[in-house]
Amino acid sequence: MSGSELAALARELRARAELLDEEEWQALPEAAQQRGPALGAAEMRSEGLTLTRSLEGLAAEVEACRKCPLGAQRIKPAFGVGSPSARVVFVGEGPGYEEDRRGEPFVGKAGQLLDKILASIELSRETVYIANVVKCHPMVDPSDPEKRGNDRPPTPEEMAQCRGYLEAQLDLIAPRALIALGGTAAKCLLATEDGVGRLRGRWHDFRGVPLRVTYHPAALLRDPSHKRDVWEDMKELKRFLEAA
Ligand code: URA
């Protein structure tokens, strides 16, 4: 089953689940099997997707996750924040120092800038959903989580271990659009080595969901000359959501 069929099924299951009681929910995989091309639980597992009832359930899985060493090193996982029915999901790289303490993505300086970027097109942390490609803080020196400037990008192995959580999050939220913030998110979602400069300015596809790449807010803090590009990207997102 293709990514877009999987996403469509997840959307349908979510819409139906809101109308189901506990017993009916438990029967969902069977119900799905009776609906032609829909997925059963075993198929979902074979696609690397755990059928999880809610984002809360998924967050609990992440809390207990030790699939890579980051799980035992971090203070708090930063699972995701925002509306479970958001029309757009912003995906960053991974939690840093502040996020590790608060257990929430994008709450440090880059997060404050992201809040302003969202506000520029009348969005907010409450109306969108914000997540990262890895949920736990990647540290240069994991023996000293109190050290500042101890952040590093996630390794390909760490991203691969965490990818199923991001995919499940996106399937549950079923957004109309995705924004990859920076090169690491773009690399993870689009399986590309191209940089942001080459990827931005057009719509891509992530498992059937239109995806746009823009600069990471931390990159804007380092090099404000990209602010105009991000503004163009946000205007295009606004246009897209208004038409969707
Ligand atoms: N940078 C990210 O990519 N994610 C965060 O949550 C914070 C900073």
Side-chain angles (χ1 to χ4, degrees), residues 78 91-97 99 104-108 110-111 130-134 151 181 216-218:
V91 181
E93 181 175 293
Y97 179 94
E99 290 77 20
E104 184 174 324
F106 283 97
V107 289
I130 304 171
N132 282 311
V133 295
V134 298
D151 308 335
L181 294 168
H216 192 288

Side-chain angles (χ1 to χ4, degrees), residues 28 78 99 188:
L28 259 185
E99 290 77 20
C188 173

Side-chain angles (χ1 to χ4, degrees), residues 41 44-53 58 61 67 164-165 168-169 171-172:
M44 280 194 154
R45 271 194 297 277
S46 77
E47 294 278 347
L49 173 73
T50 307
L51 179 59
T52 307
R53 179 174 186 179
L58 199 58
E61 281 185 46
K67 285 199 280 182
Y165 295 126
Q169 259 174 321
D171 286 338
L172 284 162

Side-chain angles (χ1 to χ4, degrees), residues 45 48-50 58 61-74 133 135-136 155 157-168:
R45 271 194 297 277
L49 173 73
T50 307
L58 199 58
E61 281 185 46
V62 167
E63 177 78 47
C65 179
R66 296 292 182 271
K67 285 199 280 182
C68 81
L70 300 185
Q73 294 164 1
R74 50 83 178 155
V133 295
K135 311 304 184 206
C136 298
T155 64
E157 293 73 28
E158 289 158 355
M159 289 197 278
Q161 292 297 340
C162 221
R163 189 185 164 94
Y165 295 126
L166 179 61
E167 288 181 357

Side-chain angles (χ1 to χ4, degrees), residues 68-191:
C68 81
L70 300 185
Q73 294 164 1
R74 50 83 178 155
I75 298 171
K76 288 184 185 168
F79 175 71
V81 66
S83 166
S85 53
R87 298 175 79 225
V88 53
V89 176
F90 288 74
V91 181
E93 181 175 293
Y97 179 94
E98 297 293 345
E99 290 77 20
D100 201 7
R101 270 140 198 85
R102 298 260 300 269
E104 184 174 324
F106 283 97
V107 289
K109 285 208 177 79
Q112 286 157 22
L113 180 54
L114 179 59
D115 287 347
K116 288 186 190 157
I117 293 170
L118 295 176
S120 73
I121 52 165
E122 288 112 46
L123 296 174
S124 69
R125 296 175 82 77
E126 289 75 36
T127 57
V128 306
Y129 195 87
I130 304 171
N132 282 311
V133 295
V134 298
K135 311 304 184 206
C136 298
H137 183 193
M139 283 174 266
V140 179
D141 176 6
S143 72
D144 191 1
E146 292 307 323
K147 196 156 81 185
R148 301 302 298 240
N150 196 11
D151 308 335
R152 64 164 171 80
T155 64
E157 293 73 28
E158 289 158 355
M159 289 197 278
Q161 292 297 340
C162 221
R163 189 185 164 94
Y165 295 126
L166 179 61
E167 288 181 357
Q169 259 174 321
L170 296 176
D171 286 338
L172 284 162
I173 297 165
R176 297 292 179 92
L178 286 171
I179 300 293
L181 294 168
T184 303
K187 189 174 179 171
C188 173
L189 294 169
L190 297 175

